[in-house]
Amino acid sequence: MAVLEMAAMAEFSSVRSVAEVPEGDDAKHVFHHRMFLEPQEEKRNLKALMVKRAKETCSCTPAKVKDCVFSLFPILQWLPKYKLKECLLGDLMSGVIVGVLLVPQSIAYSLLAGQEPIYGLYTSFFAGIIYSLFGTSRHISVGIFGALCLMVGQVVDREVQRAGYDLEAATVSAHTDTVTQVNTTIVPLNQTSQILLCDKTCYAIKVGATMTFIAGVYQVAMGFFQVGFVSVYLSDSLLSGFVTGASFTILTSQAKYLLGLDIPRSSGVGSIITTWINIFRNIHKTNICDLITSFLCFLVLIPTKELNERFKSRLKAPIPVELAVVVAATLASHLGKLRETYGSSIAGEIPTGFLPPRPPEWNLIPNVALDAIPIAIIGFAITVSLSEMFAKKHGYTVRANQEMYAIGFCNIIPSFFHCFTTSAALAKTLVKESTGCRTQISGIVTSLLILIVLLVIAPLFYSLQKCVLAVITIVNLRGALRKFKDLPKMWHLSRVDTIIWIVTMASSALISTEIGLLVGVCFSMLCVIFRTQKPEAPLLGWVAESETYESLSAYKNLQTKPGVMVFRFEAPLYYINKECFKSTLYKQTGVNPAQVKAAKKKAAKRMLRHKEMGSGGNQTGISLELVSEPLGFHTIVIDCCAVQFLDTAGIRTLKEVCKDYKEIDVQVLLAQCNPSVRSSLIRGEFFKEGEDHLLFHSVHQAVDFALGVQEHSGTSASKN
């Protein structure tokens, strides 16, 4: 029969399929229209396919080399087509404005990463240039990101402590490895061969650079193996909750600078609680000068930031209040001699120029390789999501795998130049877009501005108080902390997403950032599993004068066909939810075949016992009535439109359901199965020979068939 059907597929789009109703000499045929679809021929020659792919991959032609180079360096595609008149002014303006904002933030976030200010400037300089070469997004700003700096700083503090350095010791002026080389263009041979002492500052950047290198290798590897799909496990609610939770940890880590306290930085599980305990234990040691400075900076920064946001549509560029505060605070600290007079903690010596490149510390790789995994995933996920968001907004496309290459090289290459981890940053990207950015020339302009600071201006920040940098860091957390305002709206839209947000935020803040991220991913995956484990499974009703069936529990004025129940299971049917499928089906139909069969068996035994005992026929008649009591329906149509796939347990469950209902004279029909489900049913030998007509392309077709069969059976019974 299957062979005949395959032959008919090629010739007819629709034919009549016959289902015979047995019994009786004049039994007629019940017809229903059935569509035949001819399947595509599958490519089963795996060896030939692999050989073909290998030849395509290994072949080397000038055209292919050119495509490969242009794909790796997208700047070669758009730079020759750059429109000076249309793009240059906007790129210059946005590049300068982002650079002005980025200088104080780079210095401030260096403290968060456990590094000296100069290394934050290095990081911002290299990130902008390298992303311009490799990136496909025209608008995102790649540089220092608070959550990643926090994660880097926690690992740096742990490794510094393991190495035996005193975390509480002030090492601001100890730059043995730095100062001796900073302004040296040509290093003498005897100096390069000399083993230089490495203090805590030097060791900290070694740890940071090594972890940055490993994170970059992970990101490039993800791009090479095209595993960008891992980002789908980091939903928007999960990332938002993670960033908000990390913001609490960032705020906590910076609180000691606001008060001028000299306490060790806590790390590990519950570090946020430990830090606040240490702060309150040492609150009596608060430096009044730092406290007043912090308060004044808050008074200036917060209102001005609010004005920037409220009037951003009217302002051609945001007010560079952070730079103004840094300049004013540096002058006040220098002229007032706040360090000498009040003991304020200052940034210290910031050298000019660049240090000679140095490879990562290979011996540290085993210590930080595991810590680099969440940093790599978070960095690439944020970069890809931001690039796709702005590409969609401005009508162009980005390549996710190339973005992984770009952000990976933004970490690998700078790691040789004393830099730490970078990624795209939302706040600076928004500023960049709103000030007229058209291409990544804007990023190059920003890097050139930071280069000027590195070569000329950096030493002038010597007297800048650390509390000012802490205030800048905390004020920039406002966006993440404001997410609490969106919770009611998020709860209204999706309660599951809200719960994921709360769980990720709480675990990231109260436990640790790395564990919080892992908890968020696991919890969100469990939510997906729970959704499929107990999905919606309503009975359907017929919409009058149409062929549509919808949920009876969701809509009014739906009609039901006599003797036919239509059941929809809104999830894949697999080993996790197979019992839920059966129990829900039994509950919705009101009939459990096992119970019906057990009742019949029990009644039959009772009848037999009464016959053997010779009791009256009254009770026997009652038992017969119970056995032959009608169920109220003769057919169940299972709407499979929402069943994406079946596994072996799912196929077995369907077989059991059909078999059990058939034993109590109820037939089960399947409708609207997708090609994957149909293929699984055929491979699983779900249909016996001659029974494949019980699979329908629409619910309406299945219901009509069931009614036709029942009508014909009733007619035959009345004649008999």
Side-chain angles (χ1 to χ4, degrees), residues 94-144:
S94 64
V96 170
I97 292 169
V98 172
V100 168
L101 297 176
L102 194 56
V103 169
Q105 289 183 18
S106 300
I107 298 174
Y109 281 15
S110 298
L111 297 180
L112 192 59
Q115 308 296 339
E116 292 297 305
I118 187 67
Y119 301 126
L121 294 172
Y122 287 163
T123 302
S124 296
F125 168 74
F126 284 106
I129 289 181
I130 294 172
Y131 185 82
S132 300
L133 298 175
F134 294 99
T136 58
S137 174
R138 304 173 191 171
H139 293 89
I140 66 169
S141 176
V142 175
I144 295 177

Side-chain angles (χ1 to χ4, degrees), residues 86 92 190 226 262 312 365 389 419 431 522 526 574 589:
E86 295 181 13
L92 286 175
N190 59 349
Q226 298 185 354
D262 188 13
K312 61 182 178 182
I365 289 179
M389 180 176 72
C419 300
V431 171
C522 294
L526 284 176
Y574 62 124
T589 58

Side-chain angles (χ1 to χ4, degrees), residues 184-255:
T184 307
T185 305
I186 302 176
V187 183
L189 290 176
N190 59 349
Q191 186 176 352
T192 57
S193 60
Q194 182 182 0
I195 300 177
L196 300 175
L197 295 176
C198 185
D199 64 357
K200 191 185 86 168
T201 302
C202 165
Y203 192 76
I205 191 57
K206 282 185 177 181
V207 175
T210 302
M211 187 162 54
T212 299
F213 174 80
I214 296 300
V217 169
Y218 289 155
Q219 289 165 337
V220 170
M222 285 190 290
F224 180 78
F225 293 107
Q226 298 185 354
V227 291
F229 65 88
V230 297
S231 64
V232 302
Y233 297 105
L234 304 178
S235 63
D236 291 340
S237 57
L238 188 149
L239 285 175
S240 176
F242 170 77
V243 172
T244 303
S247 298
F248 281 105
T249 309
I250 293 171
L251 189 152
T252 301
S253 68
Q254 300 300 296

Side-chain angles (χ1 to χ4, degrees), residues 32-49:
H32 73 278
H33 285 284
R34 181 167 181 226
M35 292 183 293
F36 289 96
L37 302 176
E38 184 177 5
Q40 295 281 357
E41 294 183 4
E42 296 183 5
K43 297 179 180 178
R44 299 187 180 275
N45 193 342
L46 183 60
K47 182 179 178 181
L49 183 62

Side-chain angles (χ1 to χ4, degrees), residues 363-428:
N363 296 332
L364 287 173
I365 289 179
N367 297 351
V368 300
L370 194 61
D371 300 291
I373 294 175
I375 291 176
I377 294 175
I378 287 291
F380 117 79
I382 291 174
T383 301
V384 171
S385 61
L386 283 180
S387 61
E388 289 180 344
M389 180 176 72
F390 284 93
K392 183 177 180 180
K393 181 178 179 180
H394 291 276
Y396 62 94
T397 58
V398 294
R399 289 179 283 132
N401 283 319
Q402 181 61 30
E403 288 299 300
M404 282 191 283
Y405 282 129
I407 199 64
F409 288 128
C410 282
N411 287 320
I412 291 176
I413 298 173
S415 67
F416 289 84
F417 296 90
H418 316 276
C419 300
F420 49 90
T421 313
T422 59
S423 75
L426 177 60
K428 291 185 280 291

Side-chain angles (χ1 to χ4, degrees), residues 148-423:
L148 294 185
C149 289
L150 172 68
M151 297 170 76
V152 170
Q154 290 173 340
V155 178
V156 167
D157 286 346
R158 185 194 69 202
E159 293 302 317
V160 165
Q161 194 171 22
R162 280 183 181 177
Y165 292 97
D166 183 9
L167 286 176
E168 299 188 45
T171 57
V172 173
S173 59
H175 289 272
T176 309
D177 185 37
T178 302
V179 177
T180 55
Q181 300 183 44
V182 67
N183 289 318
T184 307
T185 305
I186 302 176
V187 183
L189 290 176
N190 59 349
Q191 186 176 352
T192 57
S193 60
Q194 182 182 0
I195 300 177
L196 300 175
L197 295 176
C198 185
D199 64 357
K200 191 185 86 168
T201 302
C202 165
Y203 192 76
I205 191 57
K206 282 185 177 181
V207 175
T210 302
M211 187 162 54
T212 299
F213 174 80
I214 296 300
V217 169
Y218 289 155
Q219 289 165 337
V220 170
M222 285 190 290
F224 180 78
F225 293 107
Q226 298 185 354
V227 291
F229 65 88
V230 297
S231 64
V232 302
Y233 297 105
L234 304 178
S235 63
D236 291 340
S237 57
L238 188 149
L239 285 175
S240 176
F242 170 77
V243 172
T244 303
S247 298
F248 281 105
T249 309
I250 293 171
L251 189 152
T252 301
S253 68
Q254 300 300 296
K256 66 177 183 180
Y257 296 113
L258 302 180
L259 304 175
L261 298 178
D262 188 13
I263 58 176
R265 182 171 177 173
S266 301
S267 60
V269 176
S271 60
I272 188 172
I273 298 173
T274 306
T275 302
W276 282 110
I277 291 174
N278 289 333
I279 288 174
F280 284 111
R281 281 179 178 173
N282 294 274
I283 196 76
H284 60 282
K285 300 178 182 178
T286 299
N287 188 301
I288 301 301
C289 178
D290 285 345
L291 180 62
I292 294 174
T293 303
S294 301
F295 179 72
L296 293 175
C297 290
F298 275 122
L299 283 181
V300 175
L301 283 171
I302 293 178
T304 311
K305 287 275 190 178
E306 292 295 328
L307 288 174
N308 276 338
E309 290 187 8
R310 181 167 295 183
F311 299 104
K312 61 182 178 182
S313 59
R314 300 182 184 179
L315 295 172
K316 293 184 178 179
I319 302 171
V321 62
E322 292 171 332
L323 186 62
V325 166
V326 166
V327 172
T330 303
L331 289 174
S333 176
H334 176 71
L335 297 176
K337 297 183 178 180
L338 300 184
R339 181 189 180 189
E340 293 81 0
T341 307
Y342 302 102
S344 292
S345 179
I346 62 173
E349 184 175 354
I350 304 177
T352 57
F354 290 91
L355 297 175
R358 183 171 56 193
E361 196 71 20
W362 309 117
N363 296 332
L364 287 173
I365 289 179
N367 297 351
V368 300
L370 194 61
D371 300 291
I373 294 175
I375 291 176
I377 294 175
I378 287 291
F380 117 79
I382 291 174
T383 301
V384 171
S385 61
L386 283 180
S387 61
E388 289 180 344
M389 180 176 72
F390 284 93
K392 183 177 180 180
K393 181 178 179 180
H394 291 276
Y396 62 94
T397 58
V398 294
R399 289 179 283 132
N401 283 319
Q402 181 61 30
E403 288 299 300
M404 282 191 283
Y405 282 129
I407 199 64
F409 288 128
C410 282
N411 287 320
I412 291 176
I413 298 173
S415 67
F416 289 84
F417 296 90
H418 316 276
C419 300
F420 49 90
T421 313
T422 59
S423 75

Side-chain angles (χ1 to χ4, degrees), residues 75 88-89 155 183 273 363 467 494 546 634 651 664 707 710:
I75 191 173
L88 185 60
L89 182 60
V155 178
N183 289 318
I273 298 173
N363 296 332
C467 64
S494 173
S546 72
H634 53 76
I651 297 171
I664 60 172
L707 293 174
Q710 185 63 21

